[in-house]
C-alpha cells in the first residue's frame, strides 16, 4: 500500500489540548461581497457560495451593499429575542442538570440565524425547523411558557407528552413539528412550497438542518426536487462546525462549502456570516425576494459555531478545545449586535445589563408558571387515556380496547 | 356499470377523485406524460394538467417526503411508488414522519397521503419486482394498509383511502392488474370480464376501510387471505371439492376481526394464505388473532400457506409462489387433523 492509497480520515484542526485553529475558514471582509439582483441567474452568482456575506465589521459598523435598512427599534427587538433565547437556554440547561427535565439542547451562538431570518418571513410562510431553532419559535410568537411546558411533558405540552424535550411545534405560528430523525423536514419544506406554487399562492417555506445532516439522503432528495420544480423554498444549512463529536469535514465540508451543494443542480448558494444578524437578515430577504419574484429555491449556508454542547448528553471538552468558541473569528452574535447598536448610538452597556436582568426575571416567572401545569413527577399530570389519541384521526376499536386494558390494570393496582 | 380491469378501475378512482376534489394531486415516477409503467394514470395528466398529475424524479424518499409537505399545505397527495420493491428509500419518511406526524404533534398536524404501489409476484420480476412487503407497514401505528383483489374493490377502497385523513399504503397486486389469476401459469390468462369483480361503476362510490369480504361461503374450513391469493384459494377449494368460507381481508389495517371470528367460529378450521414469506408475515397476525378470538372453536391447528423464506427467485418463480398445490396440501392438513 502506498501513501496515496491510504484512506483519508478527516481530522479537525484542533482537538482537546490543541490551540484552536480556524485557518480553514474562508472569510471575506465585511462589505466586500457585491449585492446582485435577486433574480440573477444562478450560474452568474456562483461565487456567493464561496464568498462570505458579512455586513458588520470588527467595529460593529454596517458595511457594503448587503447592509440592510432596518429600523433601530427592530434591531433592539432582535437583540431582546436573542438575549431571551439565551436566558431560556441557560435556565433550561440548568433545569436538566437538576433533573427537572430529561434532556435539553441549547442554541447558544446560533441565535442570530433564527432571529434574523424570522424577521424576514411572514406569518403565512411555513417554517420547518431543526432542534436548534428555539429562537425562531420565540420570534414567531410562541410563548416561552409553551416551550418549557413541552420540555416538561406536562398538561400544557403541545405534544401531549409524546415527544422528548425540544421537539416543539406551533400550528398557529406555522412552525412545523420537529422530528428526532434528522433532515426529514427538508423534503417536507420543498413539498410544502410545491403545494404553495400549485395553489398559486406566494407563501414561501423554509427549512433548517445542520452541517452534519447534509449527509442524509433527505437533503439530496430535497435539493433535487427543489431544482426540478423550482418551488419557493429557502433551504438553510447551519454550519456550526460540529455534529456531535465529528467536525464538518465528516459531512464532506473539507473541500467545498455547503452552500455549493446545490450548484450542480443550478440552485444558487449563498454563504453568510451566521453570527452577523444584519447579514443573515439581508441574505434571507434576498432569497425570499428571489423566491417570490422569480421563483425557485436558494440554499443558504450560515457559518457559525455551536457555543455549547450538542445536547445535555455530551461533554464537548472530550472532543474539541475548551476555548474554541472564544477563538472563533466570527465571534458571538449577541455581542456583535450589541456592539453595533452601541456604536450607532441606540444602546448602552447599562441598558444591555438591565435588559438581561429583566429577561432573566421573565424566564424565572415563565418557569414558575410552566411548572404550575405540572412536571414529569408532580401534579397536575397528563391523563394517560390521551396516550391513545391522535394515532389516527378517530380512535380505532383496537386502541379503545387497549386503553381499557391499561385502565383496568392501573385500577387493579391502585 | 362497465367492464374494467384493475388498472382501469384504479385509473377511474383517480379520475373520479381528481374531478371531485381539486386538492387531490398525483405524484410519481413516469405517471404523468407517459401514464405510468402499468398505465394506472393513463390520460390523467392530459385531463387535469401538469400541476395535478406530476412526474417525479427517481427518488422514492423524495416522493414520499415531498408528498408529506404537500399534504401539510392542504392538498391531498396520492404518491405512486412504481414497485413496492422500490419503497424502501421512503421507509423513514413513512415510518418516522407520515405515520407519526399527527401523534407527535398532538393532533395539530397531519398529512393525508395515500401511497399506491404495485406488489406481488407472478410477472417474472425476480427479487426486485415481486415482493409483498405489507407486513412492514401493518406493523406501524398511525397508518392503514390495504390490498384489493379485484377491480370493484380496488376502486372503492382507493377512493376511501384518498378521502381518509389518515395515511394509507395501498398495495396493488400486479399479477391481477389485467385479469384474475388462479396460480396456474400454464393456463391461458383470464380477463376481468369473466369475474364479477370486473363490473365497476363509472362514477363515485367507496368501500369503507376495515371491512373484509366473504368471497365464498362454506362449512369445512375458513380460508383467510388477500390479494392474488384470493383467486388461488378459490381455485384450490374448487379442485378439492370442499365447501369453505373464503375471506378476502382487503383492509389489513384496520382489520375486520368480527368477520374472521364469525367464520372460524362456524367452521372450526382455519387456513391463512399470503404470497409473502411466513416468518413475521402478516399471516402471523391473522393466525394469532384467530387463536385469540376463536381458540375454543378450533378443531385443528391453524395452517399458514405462504411464500418460502427466501428472496423471490427469478428462475423458480412458480416453486416460490404458494400456488394451488400448496393450498391443497394446507387444506388437507387442516381437514385431516383430529
Amino acid at each position: 500500500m502506498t501513501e496515496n492509497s491510504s484512506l483519508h480520515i478527516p481530522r479537525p484542526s484542533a482537538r482537546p489540548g490543541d490551540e484552536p485553529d480556524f485557518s480553514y475558514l474562508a472569510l471575506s471582509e465585511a462589505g466586500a461581497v457585491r449585492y446582485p439582483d435577486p433574480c440573477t441567474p444562478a450560474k452568474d452568482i456562483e461565487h456567493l457560495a464561496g464568498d462570505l456575506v458579512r455586513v458588520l465589521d470588527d467595529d460593529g459598523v454596517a458595511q457594503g451593499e448587503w447592509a440592510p435598512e432596518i429600523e433601530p427599534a427592530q434591531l433592539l427587538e432582535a437583540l431582546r429575542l436573542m438575549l431571551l433565547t439565551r436566558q431560556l437556554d441557560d435556565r433550561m440547561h440548568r433545569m436538566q442538570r437538576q433533573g427537572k427535565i430529561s434532556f435539553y439542547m441549547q442554541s447558544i451562538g446560533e441565535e442570530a440565524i433564527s432571529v434574523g431570518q424570522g424577521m424576514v418571513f411572514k406569518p403565512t410562510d411555513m417554517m420547518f425547523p431543526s432542534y436548534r431553532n428555539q429562537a425562531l419559535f420565540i420570534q414567531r410568537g410562541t410563548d416561552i411558557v409553551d416551550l418549557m411546558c413541552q420540555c416538561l411533558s406536562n398538561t400544557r405540552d403541545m405534544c401531549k407528552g409524546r415527544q422528548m424535550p425540544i421537539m416543539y411545534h406551533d400550528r398557529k405560528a406555522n412552525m412545523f413539528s420537529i422530528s428526532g430523525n434528522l433532515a426529514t423536514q427538508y423534503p417536507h419544506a420543498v413539498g410544502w412550497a410545491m403545494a404553495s406554487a400549485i395553489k398559486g399562492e406566494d407563501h414561501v417555506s423554509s427549512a433548517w438542518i445542520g452541517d452534519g445532516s447534509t449527509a442524509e439522503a433527505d437533503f439530496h432528495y430535497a435539493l433535487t426536487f427543489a431544482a426540478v420544480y423550482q418551488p419557493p423554498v429557502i433551504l438553510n444549512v447551519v454550519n456550526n462546525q460540529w455534529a456531535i463529536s465529528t467536525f464538518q469535514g465528516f459531512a464532506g465540508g473539507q473541500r467545498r462549502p455547503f452552500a455549493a451543494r446545490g450548484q450542480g443542480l443550478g440552485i444558487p448558494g449563498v454563504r453568510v456570516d451566521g453570527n452577523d444578524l444584519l447579514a443573515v437578515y439581508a441574505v434571507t430577504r434576498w432569497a425570499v425576494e428571489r423566491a417570490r419574484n422569480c421563483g425557485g429555491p436558494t440554499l443558504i449556508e450560515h457559518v457559525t459555531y455551536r457555543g455549547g454542547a450538542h445536547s445535555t448528553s455530551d461533554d464537548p471538552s472530550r472532543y474539541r478545545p475548551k476555548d474554541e468558541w472564544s477563538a472563533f473569528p466570527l465571534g458571538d452574535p449577541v455581542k456583535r449586535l450589541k456592539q453595533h447598536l452601541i456604536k450607532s448610538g441606540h444602546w448602552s452597556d447599562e441598558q444591555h445589563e438591565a435588559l438581561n436582568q429583566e429577561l432573566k426575571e421573565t424566564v424565572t416567572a415563565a418557569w414558575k408558571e410552566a411548572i404550575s401545569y405540572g412536571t414529569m413527577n408532580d401534579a397536575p399530570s397528563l391523563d394517560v387515556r390521551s396516550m391513545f389519541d391522535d394515532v389516527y384521526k378517530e380512535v380505532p376499536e383496537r386502541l379503545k380496547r387497549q386503553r381499557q386494558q391499561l385502565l383496568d390494570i392501573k385500577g387493579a393496582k391502585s | 356499470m362497465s367492464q374494467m380491469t384493475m388498472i382501469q378501475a384504479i385509473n377511474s378512482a383517480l379520475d373520479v377523485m381528481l374531478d371531485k376534489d381539486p386538492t387531490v394531486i398525483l405524484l410519481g415516477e413516469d405517471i404523468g406524460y407517459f401514464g405510468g409503467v402499468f398505465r394506472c394514470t393513463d390520460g390523467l395528466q392530459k385531463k387535469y394538467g401538469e400541476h395535478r398529475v406530476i412526474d417525479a424524479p427517481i427518488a422514492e424518499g423524495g416522493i414520499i417526503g415531498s408528498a408529506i409537505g404537500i399534504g401539510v399545505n392542504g392538498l391531498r397527495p396520492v404518491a405512486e411508488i412504481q414497485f413496492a420493491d422500490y419503497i424502501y428509500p421512503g421507509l423513514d419518511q413513512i415510518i418516522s414522519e407520515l405515520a407519526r406526524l399527527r401523534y407527535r404533534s398532538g393532533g395539530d398536524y397531519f398529512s393525508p397521503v395515500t401511497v399506491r404501489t404495485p406488489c406481488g409476484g407472478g410477472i417474472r420480476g425476480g427479487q426486485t419486482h415481486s415482493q409483498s412487503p405489507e407486513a412492514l407497514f401493518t406493523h406501524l401505528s398511525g397508518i392503514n394498509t390495504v390490498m384489493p383483489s379485484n377491480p370493484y374493490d380496488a376502486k372503492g377502497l382507493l377512493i376511501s383511502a384518498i378521502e381518509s385523513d389518515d395515511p394509507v399504503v395501498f398495495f396493488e397486486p400486479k399479477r391481477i392488474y389485467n385479469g384474475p389469476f388462479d396460480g396456474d401459469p400454464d393456463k391461458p390468462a383470464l380477463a376481468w370480464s369473466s369475474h364479477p369483480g370486473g363490473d365497476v361503476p363509472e362514477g363515485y362510490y367507496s368501500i369503507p376501510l376495515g371491512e373484509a369480504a366473504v368471497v365464498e361461503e362454506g362449512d369445512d374450513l375458513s380460508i383467510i387471505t388477500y390479494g392474488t391469493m384470493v383467486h388461488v384459494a378459490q381455485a384450490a377449494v374448487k379442485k378439492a371439492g370442499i365447501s369453505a368460507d373464503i375471506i378476502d381481508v382487503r383492509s389489513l389495517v384496520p382489520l375486520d376481526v368480527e368477520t374472521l371470528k364469525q367464520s372460524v367460529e362456524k367452521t372450526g378450521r382455519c387456513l391463512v394464505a399470503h404470497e409473502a414469506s411466513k416468518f413475521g408475515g402478516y399471516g402471523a397476525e391473522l393466525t394469532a388473532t384467530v387463536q385469540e378470538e376463536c381458540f375454543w372453536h378450533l378443531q385443528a391447528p391453524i395452517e399458514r400457506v405462504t411464500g418460502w423464506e427466501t428472496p423471490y427467485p427469478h428462475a423458480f418463480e412458480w416453486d416460490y409462489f404458494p400456488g394451488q398445490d400448496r393450498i391443497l396440501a394446507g387444506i388437507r392438513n387442516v381437514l385431516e387433523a383430529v
Side-chain angles (χ1 to χ4, degrees), chain A residues 126 128 176 185 187-196, chain B residues 63-75 77 93 101 110-111 113:
Chain A
M126 184 73 193
F128 291 83
F176 193 61
Q185 70 273 26
H188 300 166
V190 171
W192 195 97
M194 286 168 65
S196 181
Chain B
I63 291 170
I64 293 167
S66 60
I68 293 170
I70 289 169
V72 169
N73 199 354
L75 300 183
Q93 285 289 349
L101 179 57
F110 73 100
S111 187
V113 177

Side-chain angles (χ1 to χ4, degrees), chain A residues 236-359:
Chain A
N236 300 285
V237 176
V238 180
N239 178 3
N240 66 12
Q241 313 306 316
W242 290 94
I244 297 178
S245 67
T246 52
F247 78 116
Q248 44 86 26
F250 265 92
Q254 273 188 314
R255 284 164 193 81
R256 293 279 284 150
F258 293 95
R261 290 286 162 91
Q263 283 183 350
L265 292 159
I267 297 176
V270 186
R271 193 164 163 268
V272 62
D273 177 348
N275 290 1
D276 175 346
L277 181 120
L278 274 68
V280 168
Y281 172 90
V283 165
T284 306
R285 203 183 59 178
W286 181 90
V288 168
E289 267 183 56
R290 185 178 177 90
R292 287 216 167 91
N293 300 336
C294 349
T298 300
L299 180 66
I300 302 175
E301 175 186 353
H302 305 263
V303 179
T304 183
Y305 186 84
R306 195 189 77 212
H310 165 70
S311 76
T312 47
S313 302
D314 67 299
D315 171 7
S317 70
R318 301 277 295 272
Y319 52 77
R320 67 184 192 186
K322 271 185 178 160
D323 55 346
E324 202 178 47
W325 190 27
S326 61
F328 186 62
L330 302 176
D332 173 341
V334 171
K335 286 182 187 160
R336 288 178 66 193
L337 185 59
K338 175 189 168 195
Q339 180 196 29
H340 171 68
L341 284 164
I342 290 175
K343 191 94 182 174
S344 57
H346 299 288
W347 200 234
S348 69
D349 279 320
E350 294 72 29
Q351 284 172 304
H352 193 83
E353 197 36 57
L355 176 63
N356 223 358
Q357 193 53 41
E358 180 196 319
L359 293 172

Side-chain angles (χ1 to χ4, degrees), chain A residues 221-234:
Chain A
Y221 294 145
L223 254 57
T224 301
F225 277 58
V228 169
Y229 300 111
Q230 295 289 301
V233 61
I234 317 300

Side-chain angles (χ1 to χ4, degrees), chain B residues 209-266:
Chain B
L209 306 188
E211 291 184 9
V214 181
V215 175
E216 282 185 23
E217 287 190 68
D219 300 316
D220 296 335
L221 82 161
S222 305
I223 298 181
I224 304 172
T225 186
Y226 51 89
T228 306
M229 293 303 291
V230 170
H231 306 278
V232 182
Q234 282 183 282
V237 163
K238 197 173 172 190
K239 198 179 266 184
I242 57 162
S243 143
D245 268 0
I246 298 178
I247 297 167
D248 179 358
V249 174
R250 303 197 294 193
S251 165
L252 281 59
V253 178
L255 174 63
D256 178 359
V257 176
E258 196 50 40
T259 297
L260 310 189
K261 192 177 157 192
Q262 280 174 14
S263 174
V264 179
E265 283 182 356
K266 178 183 73 177

Side-chain angles (χ1 to χ4, degrees), chain A residues 169 177 179 188 199 229 393, chain B residues 55 73 97 104 108 165:
Chain A
H169 68 273
S177 159
S179 177
H188 300 166
K199 292 193 280 184
Y229 300 111
K393 189 178 184 184
Chain B
D55 277 317
N73 199 354
E97 304 296 319
R104 80 174 194 225
D108 287 340
D165 282 346

